[in-house]
Amino acid sequence: MLTICNIFNMSTNEWPLWEVFIRSKQGLSHKHVGSLRAADADMAIDNARDVYTRRSEGISIWVVESKLISASDPKEMDSLFEPADSKVYRHPTFYDVPDGISHM
Amino acid sequence: MKDINIEDKEREFQAKIDADIKIEPNDWMPDEYRKTLVRQISQHAHSEIVGMLPEGNWITRAPNLRRKAVLLAKVQDEAGHGLYLYSAVETLGADREKTIDDLNSGVAKYSSIFNYPTLTWADMGTIGWLVDGAAIMNQVPLCRCSYGPYARAMVRVCKEESFHQRQGFEIVMKLAGGTPEQKALAQDSLNRWWWPALMMFGPNDADSKHTAQSMKWKIKRSTNDELRQQFIDVTVPQAEMIGLKIPDNDLKWNEERQSYDFGEINWDEFMNVVKGNGPCNKERVDARRNAKENGAWVREAANAYAVKSKMRKAS
């Protein structure tokens, strides 16, 4: 398991790194927009407002400390996702529907 | 199990680049690719941050409240751009604080244009029009850069830059259409900024040591000379439209090339400013160093407050 940033620097007096997720409007999910440094979660939200929503890009902000996110390893991408590649029958296009059949 | 050898990895990497597959932070990449990006993105971040200084100079002296609000918003955007880019450079394993310290100690470079002084209000217009215009020309192709986090930061930056260019052009246009004194102010400003703006695209292709490899890696998508020519071709008619003269006697439309021919750039001046001898190099770096030193107590207080509120929540 990896963190999202492979080589992690922990210099002593630097504020922790936070990943920022923004919901652009009601009905849509939060989306990762970038990261920033802040002393704590409250400051991370305030900073995220100034850094990532200066033009009304959001109505809700999530922040999470980068070191708390676990990520899959790109080196294992093939073995991790291969099982889905071999199951083409999960897609509707796998099936032949004769001409004349509609609403399907 | 034997490790795949480095040449195979490099071949695989180049194949991904050729297929326009973006590289993301945890992916394998050649050391040199990482180094090139760290250098380019950190210089880019420093340029955004140092770029706040020449304009900050005029915030308190903007001619009216509207201009002041616009300039404040613009300078705030530049801070934002710097922060997107410092985040992007951190995904490559660079240490943020060290990156900033390299700027403050004079080791790291930033765009030379910001080592010129902003002498009059007209410079606020010319910077937006020409300097941000040139930056857009440079940055639009970077939205397709092979490194994902850099490309994504550039998409945000480019969206915001077009406001910068328009507000600058508006200032210059207003002055150019004003009293003879105001028009002279605009012309003087164009005279001073035109050549440094052309230098922003970097040395001629023949003298640019990083261009070939960066193009192969799709870190760079157009050459310095291509972008410079493109900038001249779009900007000359804009100057004509508002009745200003580009300060280049060799500037001439070339019917055959469907492009402007232009005069020789003073590369000695460029190299001199890059080496640290421009009019404001020392002032800019000093301002950044002072900002860090004088802000230390704020960062320490924020840390102390964070620790205290965590303890309060726990109890």
Side-chain angles (χ1 to χ4, degrees), chain A residues 2-17 32-43 50-55 57 65 71-75 77, chain B residues 25-28 34 73 76-81 83-84 87-88 90-98 152 156 159-161 163-164 298-300 302-303 305-306 309-310 313:
Chain A
L2 298 170
T3 60
I4 49 171
C5 187
N6 192 345
I7 305 156
F8 229 82
N9 293 291
M10 274 297 156
S11 64
T12 45
N13 52 3
E14 216 167 1
W15 290 341
L17 188 65
H32 182 245
V33 292
S35 54
L36 48 76
R37 295 224 168 232
D40 60 20
D42 290 336
M43 188 196 240
D50 290 341
V51 178
Y52 293 106
T53 66
R54 286 193 305 282
R55 285 173 178 73
E57 289 95 337
E65 254 193 89
S72 62
D73 185 343
K75 284 201 289 294
M77 187 168 69
Chain B
N26 280 330
D27 293 344
W28 186 88
R34 187 185 300 274
Q76 194 191 9
D77 274 353
E78 307 297 357
H81 298 175
L83 293 176
Y84 308 153
S87 295
E90 274 194 283
T91 66
L92 291 157
D95 181 293
R96 189 170 185 128
E97 187 156 21
K98 190 188 166 298
R152 292 192 286 274
R156 301 182 65 87
K159 265 190 208 155
E160 300 178 353
E161 289 282 359
F163 138 60
H164 298 178
V298 179
R299 294 191 299 279
E300 281 160 21
N303 269 339
Y305 179 77
S309 3
K310 202 182 248 172
K313 266 179 205 156

Side-chain angles (χ1 to χ4, degrees), chain B residues 273-288:
Chain B
V273 179
V274 168
K275 282 192 194 120
N277 305 319
C280 300
N281 295 58
K282 189 176 176 308
E283 190 185 326
R284 302 296 185 231
V285 172
D286 284 351
R288 290 314 306 156

